[in-house]
Amino acid sequence: MTNTIADITRESDAILLVGSNPEHAHPVIGMQVRQAVQRGAKLIVADPRDIDLAKDADIHLKLRPGTNVALVNGMIHIIIEEGLTDEKFIAERTENFEALKELVKDYTPEKVAEICGIDVDMLREAARLYATVDKAPIMYCLGVTEHHTGTEGVMSLSNLAMCVGKIGRPGCGVNPIRGQNNVQGACDMGASPNQFPGYQNIDREGILEKFEKAWNTKLNPNIGTKATDCFPKMLTGEIKGLFIFGEDPVRTDPNTHHVMKCLEALDFFVIDELFMTETAKLADVILPGISYAEKEGTFSNTERRVQRVRKAVTIEGEAKPDTWIFTEIMNRMGYPQPHLTAAEIMDEIASVTPSFGGISHTRLDSEEVGGRGLQWPCTSPEHPGTPIMHVGKFARGLGYFRPAAYKASMELPDEEYPLTMITGRILYHYNACAMTDKTEGINEIANSNFIEIHTDDAEKLGIADGELVAVASRRGEITATAHVSDKTRCGEVWMPFHYVDGANWLTNDALDSISSTPEYKVCAVKVSKINAE
């Protein structure tokens, strides 16, 4: 996120919410967005479903899944056509605007309205509202990124913010909402295969050498493999061993049959886990990990805020912290490594990561910080942290417009599979249910898989609300309870991905060509009565 949660929910005149249902997926932020609307902020929702916030939105663009790039290009076309761009910002702080201007010429409101299946006047109204108010943040989530053009969807939103100068200012910016605690922290610490901590690219001059010197060892100079790209390599034998910690791809990755086949092809598979997940059941060795409440460290939340986590309980048994496990494996594989405390590890991070240079446990625990945490970049012990990024200047110097043309989703409905399925989260469960389905009260409320289907589609298929139905794609078939309503568009269905018998048995494992994120959000399916002859 370029801005803070408080900033974008309390300072904004309007909010553009794209591909996100925060009241279910990020309820603390969702509540604050609702409060922003109650205090008078305008709300534009771009989402294929009637999410709860859409009912209170000034404009709901109920677009076809997979058409985000076209939608944003259409908004930029209108903004340019009506002279609503921030010419001063574009001239002084950006480059490559002419290329964007040339691309969006083709994205007339009428053409975009047809691609997205939305009202052309509402599209114009949305573009005008976002462009003309003083402060308007963009907030987005997996509804933008989980497409084969997800990265281009994010770039398009950045183009939109820059063309009206709504970045590097309070109440503005481009703000991805993270779905799990510390997913931001994992990215920050070099979980990407091409980066060291703090987004320091392996192939950038001097970076590899810096880490080799700090760690006193030679490092592999080659860029690694993204998580989703690993699975095909397991089948070919290019990857023979795998170590997973805190991940359940059998439940969360697309095309479950394929994921299981890949994991079963490994010579050796070890997992570090809290619970016997569906993935853990396939492992050769299971190392019992410990929960956040049993260890010291930090979480980095969605607004880049690094906060202390303190050990609260000690539980009997032989479960160990992840850091202890990693250190022991390094030692036993011949790389001498001392067991460091969480505070010592944080100090090492600061020593090699400029954006974390001023962050330490000592400082996070101090009266100066007062439990608020510190937002990176925080480059020195005197630096106060950075609530708003790109103020006055972008990290790269000039903001770069990256034009992206609309491309249709990889798998569209046809005669055999006539419905488009979208996936998402519900309020009661958390990702793969590894923790939440252990909770009796939650299971009383939400204990089984369901599918939302439009009233007209249900009527054609003779399906009643509450009826058990079969749902099939080219990759598998499952059963689910039908929830009949007008929440989705006609021809579209929606299903949560949390359940063991849920949507990912069906989803398409087509990947984004840049990020390798799967296209969870668009998948062709058919729904049928179980008792149909």
Side-chain angles (χ1 to χ4, degrees), residues 8 22 103 137 176 374 416 471:
I8 60 180
L103 177 104
L374 290 162
E416 188 179 0
V471 189

Side-chain angles (χ1 to χ4, degrees), residues 348-461:
E348 183 188 319
I349 291 164
S351 73
V352 291
T353 313
S355 56
F356 279 72
I359 301 178
S360 65
H361 281 204
T362 301
R363 192 174 179 205
L364 291 171
D365 291 339
S366 69
E367 285 185 21
E368 171 220 342
V369 173
R372 297 184 307 275
L374 290 162
Q375 287 176 278
W376 64 259
C378 179
T379 53
S380 71
E382 298 74 41
H383 195 286
T386 308
I388 301 173
M389 294 181 76
H390 314 303
V391 176
K393 185 181 180 183
F394 287 99
R396 71 181 296 277
L398 293 175
Y400 191 82
F401 285 101
R402 290 188 181 271
Y406 162 70
K407 300 178 199 117
S409 299
M410 297 293 278
E411 184 178 79
L412 298 172
D414 58 18
E415 200 172 321
E416 188 179 0
Y417 297 99
L419 301 170
T420 298
M421 185 181 79
I422 318 160
T423 67
R425 297 181 174 110
I426 60 172
L427 174 63
Y428 305 101
H429 283 297
Y430 180 74
N431 216 44
C433 281
M435 293 175 281
T436 51
D437 72 0
K438 311 291 186 292
T439 309
E440 197 176 318
I442 288 175
N443 282 329
E444 279 183 36
I445 299 167
N447 65 354
S448 61
N449 193 27
F450 65 90
I451 184 167
E452 292 178 358
I453 183 167
H454 191 273
T455 310
D456 293 347
D457 293 320
E459 192 176 328
K460 282 179 208 163
L461 296 165

Side-chain angles (χ1 to χ4, degrees), residues 4-35:
T4 68
I5 298 166
D7 174 65
I8 60 180
T9 55
R10 295 177 194 168
E11 297 291 324
S12 51
D13 301 310
I15 295 170
L16 175 57
L17 186 67
V18 187
S20 175
N21 184 8
E23 287 191 310
H24 278 240
H26 320 92
V28 175
I29 295 177
M31 176 184 68
Q32 293 182 51
V33 171
R34 184 168 288 281
Q35 288 170 342

Side-chain angles (χ1 to χ4, degrees), residues 129-151:
L129 175 57
Y130 173 72
T132 55
V133 296
D134 181 37
K135 297 176 181 178
I138 297 169
M139 301 173 73
Y140 73 90
C141 193
L142 304 182
V144 171
T145 56
E146 290 185 343
H147 296 276
H148 84 106
T149 56
T151 305

Side-chain angles (χ1 to χ4, degrees), residues 282-523:
L282 300 177
D284 297 296
V285 174
I286 302 170
L287 300 171
I290 65 173
S291 73
Y292 73 95
E294 301 166 71
K295 55 191 171 188
E296 296 283 326
T298 60
F299 284 154
S300 298
N301 76 354
T302 193
E303 61 179 4
R304 299 170 283 105
R305 189 179 298 278
V306 183
Q307 298 168 291
R308 278 280 277 124
V309 177
R310 295 173 183 84
K311 183 176 178 178
V313 295
T314 300
I315 295 174
E316 289 183 19
E318 295 184 65
K320 299 288 186 183
D322 305 318
T323 48
W324 185 93
I325 291 169
F326 296 151
T327 301
E328 278 302 298
I329 289 173
M330 283 190 276
N331 281 319
R332 295 177 196 200
M333 291 179 72
Y335 175 57
Q337 172 68 26
H339 283 278
L340 303 176
T341 65
E344 288 170 332
I345 292 169
M346 193 77 231
D347 290 342
E348 183 188 319
I349 291 164
S351 73
V352 291
T353 313
S355 56
F356 279 72
I359 301 178
S360 65
H361 281 204
T362 301
R363 192 174 179 205
L364 291 171
D365 291 339
S366 69
E367 285 185 21
E368 171 220 342
V369 173
R372 297 184 307 275
L374 290 162
Q375 287 176 278
W376 64 259
C378 179
T379 53
S380 71
E382 298 74 41
H383 195 286
T386 308
I388 301 173
M389 294 181 76
H390 314 303
V391 176
K393 185 181 180 183
F394 287 99
R396 71 181 296 277
L398 293 175
Y400 191 82
F401 285 101
R402 290 188 181 271
Y406 162 70
K407 300 178 199 117
S409 299
M410 297 293 278
E411 184 178 79
L412 298 172
D414 58 18
E415 200 172 321
E416 188 179 0
Y417 297 99
L419 301 170
T420 298
M421 185 181 79
I422 318 160
T423 67
R425 297 181 174 110
I426 60 172
L427 174 63
Y428 305 101
H429 283 297
Y430 180 74
N431 216 44
C433 281
M435 293 175 281
T436 51
D437 72 0
K438 311 291 186 292
T439 309
E440 197 176 318
I442 288 175
N443 282 329
E444 279 183 36
I445 299 167
N447 65 354
S448 61
N449 193 27
F450 65 90
I451 184 167
E452 292 178 358
I453 183 167
H454 191 273
T455 310
D456 293 347
D457 293 320
E459 192 176 328
K460 282 179 208 163
L461 296 165
I463 290 167
D465 186 51
E467 185 177 346
L468 198 65
V469 296
V471 189
S473 76
R474 290 175 175 83
R475 289 156 294 280
E477 182 170 326
I478 58 174
T479 58
T481 302
H483 288 189
V484 178
S485 71
D486 293 344
K487 260 190 169 184
T488 60
R489 293 159 50 99
C490 190
E492 295 167 13
V493 295
W494 184 92
M495 189 181 283
F497 64 78
H498 308 290
Y499 298 101
V500 68
D501 57 348
N504 283 330
W505 290 93
L506 311 176
T507 45
N508 189 3
D509 48 3
L511 302 179
D512 181 311
S513 61
I514 301 168
S515 69
S516 290
T517 299
E519 188 156 56
Y520 291 100
K521 298 300 183 194
V522 181
C523 161

